[in-house]
Amino acid sequence: MIDQNYRWYPVCTRSRAEKKAHEELTRKGISSYLPLKKTVKQWSDRKKIIEEALIKSYLFVYISAKEYAEVLMTNGIARFIYFSSQIASIPEQQINDLKLLLATDADLEVFEYDIKPGERVLIKAGPFKGILAELVSIQNKQRIILRLQNMGYAIEINTSVAFVEPI
């Protein structure tokens, strides 16, 4: 039987402290979930596959209201996330969906902003860095169609939406 007083809550961690905060919460006996993704890091002499937080500075705790203070007194935890002046809670199904997504080998990317067709964008990285354009459409997060200024043409390019930011 699931206790109705327990819910999933997103918490914000200090920068790059997600894993340490997760370990500390586990040590305290508090259920937490840190979604991790595998990524390849390149150094000058080698490449290494590491696990890093899917959503930077976020993890999720499964607690009741009486455990708020204990979570906040955990090393690495900065604050709870609020929505409409109340601590935000996440439905259990969304946590399960996130776990299911991460169980696949899909290449996931998380974006901090929502870009919509018609917005002017700047490509900030990759082979098209520095190009200003209008976003026409996004197809599967890896192919975007841009309309270049004053040319009347739309160009479909293979670049990550992560490389594009609104202006």
Side-chain angles (χ1 to χ4, degrees):
M1 180 176 147
I2 297 174
D3 186 339
Q4 297 299 321
N5 295 323
Y6 277 76
R7 291 197 171 126
W8 285 102
Y9 297 96
V11 291
C12 191
T13 67
R14 291 190 175 83
S15 181
R16 305 180 89 144
E18 303 94 350
K19 288 182 182 179
K20 288 180 182 174
H22 176 64
E23 289 170 9
E24 186 72 22
L25 287 165
T26 301
R27 203 170 10 262
K28 288 181 170 187
I30 296 172
S31 295
S32 65
Y33 174 57
L34 174 59
L36 297 171
K37 68 176 180 174
K38 289 184 178 157
T39 186
V40 177
K41 289 291 182 179
Q42 173 79 49
W43 285 270
S44 60
D45 61 338
R46 68 190 185 286
K47 287 183 182 181
K48 187 175 180 182
I49 296 175
I50 64 163
E51 284 189 324
E52 62 182 21
L54 177 68
I55 306 168
K56 294 195 184 315
S57 297
Y58 272 70
L59 60 83
F60 304 93
V61 292
Y62 188 66
I63 60 169
S64 66
K66 65 183 177 184
E67 294 169 292
Y68 289 166
E70 188 64 33
V71 169
L72 289 173
M73 290 188 297
T74 303
N75 283 338
I77 301 294
R79 61 185 168 82
F80 280 93
I81 305 301
Y82 283 79
F83 182 73
S84 297
S85 72
Q86 290 189 353
I87 294 177
S89 68
I90 307 290
E92 176 105 25
Q93 187 58 48
Q94 284 185 0
I95 297 294
N96 292 337
D97 290 347
L98 187 56
K99 288 177 181 179
L100 187 62
L101 276 173
L102 289 170
T104 68
D105 286 335
D107 188 19
L108 301 176
E109 292 185 65
V110 177
F111 308 101
E112 293 183 30
Y113 40 74
D114 187 23
I115 303 174
K116 295 179 179 61
E119 287 189 51
R120 291 179 36 86
V121 296
L122 168 68
I123 300 177
K124 60 183 181 177
F128 307 103
K129 182 178 180 177
I131 293 178
L132 292 169
E134 175 190 338
L135 181 69
V136 176
S137 71
I138 301 172
Q139 287 139 8
N140 73 18
K141 302 283 185 196
Q142 294 297 322
R143 295 182 65 79
I144 61 176
I145 298 176
L146 299 174
R147 182 177 296 124
L148 301 179
Q149 290 179 301
N150 303 324
M151 288 184 60
Y153 290 95
I155 299 173
E156 183 174 339
I157 61 173
N158 278 327
T159 192
S160 172
V161 177
F163 292 166
V164 177
E165 69 180 19
I167 12 182

